[in-house]
Amino acid sequence: MNLLPLKLQNNNTTMQKKILLLGSGELGKEFVIAAQRIGQKVIAVDSYENAPAMQVAHGFEVINMLDGAELDRIVAKHQPDFIVPEIEAIRTERFYDYEKQGITVVPSAKAANFTMNRKAIRDLAAKDLGLRTANYRYATTKAELENAVAEVGMPCVVKPLMSSSGKGQSTIKTHEDIEKAWNYAVEGSRGDIIEVIVEAFVNFHSEITLLTVTQNNHPTLFCAPIGHRQERGDYQESWQPARVSEKDILEAQDMARKVTEALGGAGLFGVEFFLTDEGVYFSELSPRPHDTGMVTLAKTQNFNEFELHLRAILSIPIPEITLERIGASAVVLASENSNNPTYTGIEKVASLSKTDFRIFGKPTSRPYRRMGVVLTNDTLDTPIEEVVEKAKKTATLVTVNP
């Protein structure tokens, strides 16, 4: 039996590509699985061994991705067709050189550079494109933070320019909160940039993620909006579809189209918005599958977000994205530090109908670290609140043991 990898043919040219995945967490793992299913080759890279995506990739590298020389070394070693970033802590300015070498950076070197830094993407959205955003300032010292807070007012939100999953994010309600917010932001910052963005608090009634798919030579597509709830700056539950008025969804789609077109390239973007009585506010953007988009693993769509990202990258046409059922995801969090976490309660989850789960396979745990996700779905006429509550309760059945 011939067990060689699948090679798709298009005008007598092989479509099997080599992908260098920079960042190998749970989102990267699902992306690798999608790539494996259609015969692509993936080398997973992260700062530690046995990261989730490494467990399913063809090969792996362990490096500090903020080291430009190390990045250059592995790019030269593997000669990938595509470089796919999954995290923020990367020496992204090197991407421009890789593009000049003929390597496709996903979605583009510009997109990766702008969106890995909240300053660049916010200025692009607010100043260049004129999108509605919260009033904001920047600060590189505690003294500058104090001035910024005075200008935007309290309450306000402080975030590192480079971070992920809510790390370093906090809310300032009193003057006494400023020093603590500064220290927490510095501690949670990724990369070597010590700077924060200070945002005036937006009085929103809900927030959504709009998964936006840009394609080569095909129109931009949008998934049904995803609602989510956060704690400590990190999502706890997400659901699809979120309830959004037609006026707001059209405004969000217009904003998402403008900002993704300005960034260029092909791939899936997670564009976040606040919904208010005054309209839609642009919040943030990720140039890759989004953590709240893990709800699409509940079979809510004809293609999940990882499959969409891959198809857009490879220029495989996506004729449409259809909502097949409603769904929800709820995170499984660790409560203790461990070098060898185990899990109990999985059999209880597996016994429930219209329910699934993912254990990410992270080799270590720490308090509040996301270790897995529970997924629920139901028919389109089922109230979304029911599947969200089911996911939330079901996630509590899983215990991460040290």
Side-chain angles (χ1 to χ4, degrees):
M1 181 180 294
N2 186 353
L3 295 179
L4 292 175
L6 170 66
K7 295 196 179 207
L8 304 176
Q9 298 294 321
N10 181 16
N11 295 329
N12 298 318
T13 301
T14 179
M15 282 182 59
Q16 185 186 45
K17 302 296 184 181
K18 182 187 286 188
I19 299 170
L20 192 66
L21 177 67
L22 300 181
S24 298
E26 58 266 31
L27 300 177
K29 184 175 186 176
E30 292 294 337
F31 175 78
V32 175
I33 291 171
Q36 293 272 24
R37 284 176 173 153
I38 59 172
Q40 306 306 299
K41 185 173 184 178
V42 184
I43 307 300
V45 183
D46 214 312
S47 59
Y48 66 99
E49 195 168 340
N50 201 32
M54 293 179 183
Q55 299 165 20
V56 292
H58 289 85
F60 69 90
E61 297 280 358
V62 178
I63 67 165
N64 174 9
M65 287 175 282
L66 288 170
D67 185 330
E70 278 292 273
L71 266 183
D72 289 347
R73 179 182 66 81
I74 64 166
V75 169
K77 174 182 176 181
H78 292 286
Q79 292 291 302
D81 299 293
F82 295 92
I83 293 175
V84 178
E86 191 235 20
I87 63 171
E88 290 80 8
I90 305 171
R91 191 62 64 189
T92 54
E93 65 269 19
R94 302 295 305 135
F95 290 173
Y96 292 109
D97 287 335
Y98 303 152
E99 280 192 340
K100 292 176 182 176
Q101 296 171 26
I103 301 169
T104 300
V105 177
V106 176
S108 67
K110 179 180 179 179
N113 274 275
F114 274 56
T115 56
M116 295 301 182
N117 184 316
R118 288 188 170 99
K119 189 173 190 174
I121 189 62
R122 178 56 60 88
D123 286 350
L124 172 69
K127 296 179 179 179
D128 297 348
L129 300 177
L131 306 186
R132 185 190 293 117
T133 71
N135 186 19
Y136 66 96
R137 299 290 188 277
Y138 301 114
T140 59
T141 65
K142 185 166 74 68
E144 289 183 4
L145 176 59
E146 291 176 347
N147 292 334
V149 172
E151 292 180 9
V152 304
M154 291 185 282
C156 59
V157 178
V158 177
K159 305 173 185 176
L161 289 191
M162 291 181 65
S163 69
S164 64
S165 301
K167 294 180 177 65
Q169 178 177 322
S170 61
T171 300
I172 292 178
K173 298 179 180 179
T174 67
H175 189 270
E176 288 69 31
D177 294 333
I178 294 177
E179 182 172 1
K180 183 170 61 175
W182 172 256
N183 292 335
Y184 184 59
V186 171
E187 178 187 335
S189 179
R190 284 192 173 188
D192 50 10
I193 297 177
I194 304 301
E195 189 171 2
V196 301
I197 183 172
V198 186
E199 298 178 326
F201 188 78
V202 175
N203 187 21
F204 62 90
H205 53 73
S206 60
E207 52 187 328
I208 63 167
T209 303
L210 186 62
L211 299 179
T212 302
V213 183
T214 59
Q215 303 183 83
N216 292 315
N217 304 315
H218 292 281
T220 296
L221 300 175
F222 303 99
C223 299
I226 296 170
H228 49 93
R229 184 183 70 85
Q230 295 191 36
E231 287 182 11
R232 299 171 298 277
D234 199 4
Y235 108 97
Q236 304 299 299
E237 299 98 37
S238 65
W239 55 91
Q240 189 185 36
R243 288 198 177 95
V244 183
S245 69
E246 183 177 0
K247 173 181 175 295
D248 283 351
I249 194 61
L250 290 176
E251 186 173 6
Q253 288 178 350
D254 182 61
M255 288 185 180
R257 185 182 289 106
K258 286 178 179 177
V259 71
T260 55
E261 285 180 355
L263 292 171
L268 181 139
F269 294 80
V271 192
E272 296 181 61
F273 297 97
F274 296 123
L275 305 184
T276 76
D277 293 339
E278 294 77 40
V280 178
Y281 280 69
F282 172 84
S283 175
E284 292 190 339
L285 180 148
S286 299
R288 58 188 183 274
H290 200 268
D291 51 5
T292 63
M294 282 193 281
V295 67
T296 62
L297 293 172
K299 301 180 177 65
T300 53
Q301 304 180 159
N302 56 333
F303 299 112
N304 66 47
E305 65 169 343
F306 309 99
E307 294 165 334
L308 290 170
H309 195 43
L310 180 68
R311 284 171 178 255
I313 291 168
L314 298 178
S315 296
I316 298 175
I318 307 168
E320 61 179 352
I321 303 172
T322 58
L323 185 69
E324 302 295 319
R325 53 182 63 81
I326 67 170
S329 73
V331 298
V332 174
L333 301 178
S335 59
E336 299 182 50
N337 293 304
S338 173
N339 290 322
N340 187 28
T342 60
Y343 303 83
T344 54
I346 296 299
E347 69 285 349
K348 296 178 183 178
V349 176
S351 68
L352 299 174
S353 63
K354 300 178 182 178
T355 302
D356 202 356
F357 63 93
R358 298 287 188 279
I359 299 299
F360 302 144
K362 294 179 179 178
T364 62
S365 68
R366 57 179 179 270
Y368 301 116
R369 190 178 197 190
R370 192 166 58 212
M371 306 297 289
V373 66
V374 166
L375 306 159
T376 57
N377 65 64
D378 216 316
T379 57
L380 291 173
D381 57 355
T382 304
I384 193 69
E385 294 82 3
E386 290 184 11
V387 296
V388 175
E389 187 62 24
K390 182 179 179 182
K392 185 176 180 180
K393 288 183 176 179
T394 304
T396 64
L397 299 177
V398 183
T399 301
V400 183
N401 306 300

